[in-house]
Amino acid sequence: ATGNREAIDIDVSSQTSQKAIDFMRARTGNVTNGNATIELLFKHRLVKLVFNLKQGEGLLPNELKDATYLGMKILDQRYKATYNIYKDDNENPLTVNPSSDYIADIIPVKASQAPTGYVRTYEAIVLPNVTNNPAQKRTIEITFYHRSDDAITNTFTIPVQTIFEAGYKYEYNVTVNALTVTVDTEKYTEQW
């Protein structure tokens, strides 16, 4: 993140180092001249997505697990925003850049370990729902193959009722079939 004293520029286009794009903010409370110590409670201000993948129907045994390539994309995402540090959460401190120049596919990164029963896990940090950035239009593409000439690509869309709130983690347990992708569960937790 870069910026001036009031507004910090946020760019989540590259997921290579999630530490580098994670954005947190702290607030103080009960600060007086008599307090020798000030406690800061930091909160994430962006959204964490986690996709746990397991193999479904119509695939060869272990085809998803043994794929020489398995990649994901979150299609057509806005990736630039500005965060005004002087506004509180009720005043909507995050402004997503409305320019079509700042829309791209976000490539989630592979996590080091998947939960029991799943083949692989991918993670991404994205911008929360604000004006011009609804979760409902987030299409997820999964591509895998053993040889590049027999690639399988399937997509699914984030459910229409989902609202990506700042500071929340959304976890999707997904079954990848030969022709479709099924979202088995969607759950969210505050402050990842």
Side-chain angles (χ1 to χ4, degrees):
T2 60
N4 61 33
R5 286 177 19 145
E6 292 181 21
I8 297 171
D9 297 325
I10 296 171
D11 184 334
V12 297
S13 58
S14 174
Q15 298 285 315
T16 306
S17 172
Q18 291 196 333
K19 287 181 183 179
I21 62 172
D22 189 9
F23 183 76
M24 299 180 81
R25 178 181 184 178
R27 286 270 187 202
T28 60
N30 301 323
V31 177
T32 65
N33 288 336
N35 284 348
T37 304
I38 298 174
E39 292 185 11
L40 299 175
L41 175 61
F42 284 88
K43 291 185 176 183
H44 293 278
R45 301 316 322 151
L46 301 179
V47 174
K48 177 86 161 189
L49 300 180
V50 177
F51 303 99
N52 300 313
L53 308 181
K54 70 179 177 180
Q55 182 163 313
E57 299 176 357
L59 300 175
L60 298 172
N62 295 318
E63 187 170 3
L64 192 64
K65 178 182 176 188
D66 297 336
T68 54
Y69 172 82
L70 196 159
M72 295 187 70
K73 291 181 186 175
I74 307 169
L75 303 179
D76 302 322
Q77 295 304 289
R78 296 192 181 277
Y79 62 87
K80 280 198 175 252
T82 304
Y83 194 96
N84 186 323
I85 62 173
Y86 292 111
K87 291 184 178 181
D88 65 26
D89 292 336
N90 296 327
E91 297 177 287
N92 207 3
L94 188 74
T95 303
V96 173
N97 191 314
S99 172
S100 59
D101 293 339
Y102 300 115
I103 296 175
D105 296 342
I106 301 293
I107 310 297
V109 294
K110 184 177 182 249
S112 58
Q113 189 173 350
T116 302
Y118 292 87
V119 175
R120 298 187 191 188
T121 295
Y122 289 84
E123 300 176 345
I125 295 174
V126 297
L127 301 174
N129 279 63
V130 291
T131 305
N132 297 324
N133 197 46
Q136 294 86 343
K137 294 183 179 180
R138 298 174 195 232
T139 299
I140 314 302
E141 179 181 277
I142 301 170
T143 300
F144 61 98
Y145 54 77
H146 289 278
R147 296 181 317 272
S148 60
D149 61 336
D150 62 354
I152 295 174
T153 299
N154 291 322
T155 63
F156 69 94
T157 303
I158 300 299
V160 70
Q161 68 274 15
T162 302
I163 297 174
F164 286 166
E165 292 186 54
Y168 280 70
K169 175 174 84 170
Y170 295 80
E171 188 166 355
Y172 295 89
N173 293 329
V174 176
T175 300
V176 179
N177 304 299
L179 302 176
T180 61
V181 173
T182 305
V183 178
D184 302 321
T185 59
E186 172 192 50
K187 68 178 182 177
Y188 61 91
T189 54
E190 187 174 9
Q191 289 312 311
W192 41 283

